[in-house]
Amino acid sequence: MLMANKSELYMLESCPFCWKVRGLVEYLNIPYESISINPMKAKKTLPSAPEWTKTPVWVDEDKSVIVDSTPIMIHIDEKYNQGNLWNSGDVQRRDQWKEWVDTRLSKATIPILYGSLLSAFTTTLRVSKMEKFGFFSRQLYAWAGFPVMWGFIAKKRVKNDGRKPKKLWHDLLDEFTHAFDNKPFFGGETPDMIDFLAYGYVSSISPFPQFKHIKEHQHGIGWYQRMRNQHKS
């Protein structure tokens, strides 16, 4: 008996954009195959390369290739869920917060994970164990990656923002949860696509010690736990 083809998600375990897609497909109970790639070989192993060499990449059962996390999620919602998460009675509000999540929250993941020399070191060590590196690539990333991530990327972002990473995240979670209008989710009584976009970025921090800062935000962690408990009937 022939088995139906499964969709495929080409991903990195530590990629916040991959966490976004994973949260949605798990909520919708979509059968898929997770394919972890070697970050050093993305140009050779991603089905979208050489035009697109970033993760995630989604390959449908019919072998159609979709790239970029938010377009992937909108496609999946439309194909498997009649677009119920993306459709909105207030398109202006939805689009405004989509832009907010995919710019403000996405740019805050680097400072909280790499914003100090120590946090950058612990993060790169953790990432080197999470990803599908070869032995030498793992050692190179673990010991050479953290000064690059801290010194050339995170340090500049923290300086330009002017807030400590914990303060930055607490301010962002304040702003986001205030938009709920006293409902449990941004989408109201049930989550919508904006909830899942934000949930992916927050979830991507959860494997790291810095997640303790998220846990200290009462409303933010309350929403996060409610999202974790969501299962589509």
Side-chain angles (χ1 to χ4, degrees):
M1 181 178 178
L2 293 176
M3 299 293 291
N5 291 330
K6 284 185 179 181
S7 296
E8 299 171 336
L9 176 61
Y10 289 78
M11 54 170 285
L12 297 172
E13 292 291 339
S14 58
C15 170
F17 308 106
C18 297
W19 280 82
K20 289 166 59 182
V21 177
R22 290 165 63 183
L24 179 63
V25 295
E26 289 166 9
Y27 169 73
L28 294 176
N29 296 315
I30 300 171
Y32 75 103
E33 182 179 357
S34 174
I35 302 175
S36 296
I37 66 166
N38 184 332
M40 302 295 186
K41 298 181 179 180
K43 292 183 179 180
K44 296 180 180 179
T45 55
L46 284 176
S48 54
E51 290 82 6
W52 185 271
T53 57
K54 302 175 184 178
T55 57
V57 173
W58 179 263
V59 180
D60 262 333
E61 303 99 318
D62 63 1
K63 300 306 177 184
S64 299
V65 178
I66 301 95
V67 300
D68 203 350
S69 57
T70 297
I72 289 172
M73 294 170 74
I74 294 172
H75 166 81
I76 290 172
D77 180 48
E78 180 179 353
K79 180 170 183 176
Y80 296 96
N81 193 43
Q82 296 78 51
N84 288 331
L85 293 171
W86 179 242
N87 293 336
S88 172
D90 189 340
V91 172
Q92 183 177 357
R93 176 179 182 260
R94 179 199 68 189
D95 290 350
Q96 173 189 346
W97 280 94
K98 168 189 169 292
E99 181 71 13
W100 184 91
V101 170
D102 276 345
T103 54
R104 301 285 297 282
L105 281 189
S106 68
K107 291 181 179 179
T109 57
I110 293 294
I112 196 171
L113 293 177
Y114 299 93
S116 71
L117 196 57
L118 178 60
S119 64
F121 178 65
T122 57
T123 297
T124 50
L125 275 181
R126 176 73 175 133
V127 169
S128 71
K129 295 175 181 178
M130 292 170 65
E131 302 297 359
K132 193 177 180 181
F133 285 106
F135 176 78
F136 291 108
S137 296
R138 180 182 298 114
Q139 303 307 312
L140 178 64
Y141 183 84
W143 293 99
F146 78 91
V148 173
M149 293 300 296
W150 172 70
F152 290 96
I153 302 176
K155 188 177 180 181
K156 182 178 179 181
R157 290 191 185 181
V158 172
K159 181 180 179 180
N160 289 344
D161 184 83
R163 287 171 288 181
K164 297 293 186 182
K166 176 181 175 179
K167 171 65 172 165
L168 169 61
W169 265 95
H170 280 219
D171 287 349
L172 292 173
L173 289 171
D174 278 344
E175 192 173 348
F176 183 56
T177 55
H178 285 165
F180 292 6
D181 294 329
N182 296 318
K183 300 291 179 62
F185 302 98
F186 180 90
E189 297 301 326
T190 57
D192 67 3
M193 185 64 78
I194 304 304
D195 286 291
F196 280 98
L197 296 177
Y199 177 65
Y201 291 122
V202 178
S203 296
S204 70
I205 305 168
S206 63
F208 302 95
Q210 295 90 326
F211 193 65
K212 65 184 180 182
H213 299 315
I214 305 298
K215 291 180 177 179
E216 293 172 5
H217 191 279
Q218 180 181 356
H219 296 298
I221 196 61
W223 162 80
Y224 176 81
Q225 294 294 348
R226 289 191 294 274
M227 289 296 295
R228 285 192 65 186
N229 293 332
Q230 288 297 300
H231 300 282
K232 190 174 185 295
S233 56

